Amino acid sequence: MAQRIIMGIDPGTNVTGYGIIVGKGKRMEVIAAGVIQLGKSSIDHPAKLKKIYDRVCGLIKEFRPRELALEAPFYGKNVQSMLKLGRAQGVAMAAGLSFDIPIFEYAPKKVKMSVTGKGGASKEQVAGMLKQMLNFEVHDLPLDATDGLAVAVCHFFQGINSKTGTQHKNWGAFVKANPDKLKKR
């Protein structure tokens, strides 16, 4: 059974979160998770974009993911913020493309739905579910890092569904079909 190394990225202009998982069959394991801290400093926007690009390239060289999943910018009222987020996503994409890695994009609600079963889940709820699903301590990670991890997990689940042809109607149906995904207390 081939293993999949997936990198998930939650792009941001102040903090970009990332998570890297390895999947084999229906099992997942965390390889790395963290943030690219850009801050609200005096550094100009192009310099922030270069920092995102350089760090993502470094992570790709280090962990060799074969798939890159990105969270799509959400639609907001502030056009300037959306433009900056789109640029951050674009440079992360460009980093993956420079290594010939296939790129996948997921809406924020899709990511939350895949991990928690609720499209409107909070960042804390996403982190809590990841802790259970991955048997991984997330309490020391910034929420942007767990968001990046959630994007990778969302993509992993999409891959399972497309290979088996299984479509789950709701979270309960997914849990019933995949009891090994949840940590028992």
Side-chain angles (χ1 to χ4, degrees):
M1 190 177 312
Q3 68 179 18
R4 299 168 63 199
I5 300 175
I6 302 167
M7 179 180 207
I9 297 180
D10 177 26
T13 55
N14 294 323
V15 180
T16 290
Y18 66 87
I20 304 168
I21 62 170
V22 62
K24 189 169 185 180
K26 290 186 177 185
R27 298 219 176 271
M28 293 177 282
E29 183 179 316
V30 176
I31 297 174
V35 294
I36 303 167
Q37 195 69 40
L38 304 162
K40 295 181 180 181
S41 64
S42 60
I43 185 172
D44 65 351
H45 189 65
K48 286 182 179 185
L49 296 176
K50 181 174 181 351
K51 191 172 180 180
I52 293 168
Y53 179 84
D54 290 345
R55 183 69 177 120
V56 172
C57 284
L59 290 166
I60 291 170
K61 287 176 187 174
E62 183 177 355
F63 296 105
R64 306 265 185 236
R66 294 288 151 240
E67 301 163 68
L68 178 60
L70 295 155
E71 186 170 279
F74 58 90
Y75 297 101
K77 293 179 182 175
N78 187 329
V79 176
Q80 284 296 82
S81 294
M82 285 179 53
L83 179 61
K84 287 179 180 179
L85 277 174
R87 289 175 181 163
Q89 182 196 36
V91 296
M93 263 187 202
L97 292 171
S98 70
F99 288 88
D100 293 322
I101 299 172
I103 308 292
F104 303 88
E105 187 176 13
Y106 298 97
K109 282 187 175 194
K110 173 83 171 178
V111 173
K112 291 174 183 180
M113 180 67 85
S114 292
V115 174
T116 68
K118 293 189 285 186
S122 70
K123 287 178 174 278
E124 293 80 9
Q125 288 171 317
V126 170
M129 187 56 80
L130 287 172
K131 179 181 178 179
Q132 287 184 350
M133 291 169 74
L134 300 171
N135 196 19
F136 180 75
E137 282 304 317
V138 297
H139 68 275
D140 290 335
L141 290 175
L143 292 174
D144 293 294
T146 55
D147 284 352
L149 206 50
V151 177
V153 168
C154 173
H155 179 66
F156 176 79
F157 287 152
Q158 304 317 304
I160 288 175
N161 287 345
S162 65
K163 287 180 183 170
T164 64
T166 305
Q167 292 296 320
H168 303 289
K169 293 182 181 176
N170 57 43
W171 183 242
F174 174 82
V175 170
K176 195 173 191 179
N178 298 281
D180 58 315
K181 296 267 184 251
L182 298 176
K183 181 180 171 187
K184 306 286 189 243
R185 292 184 197 209

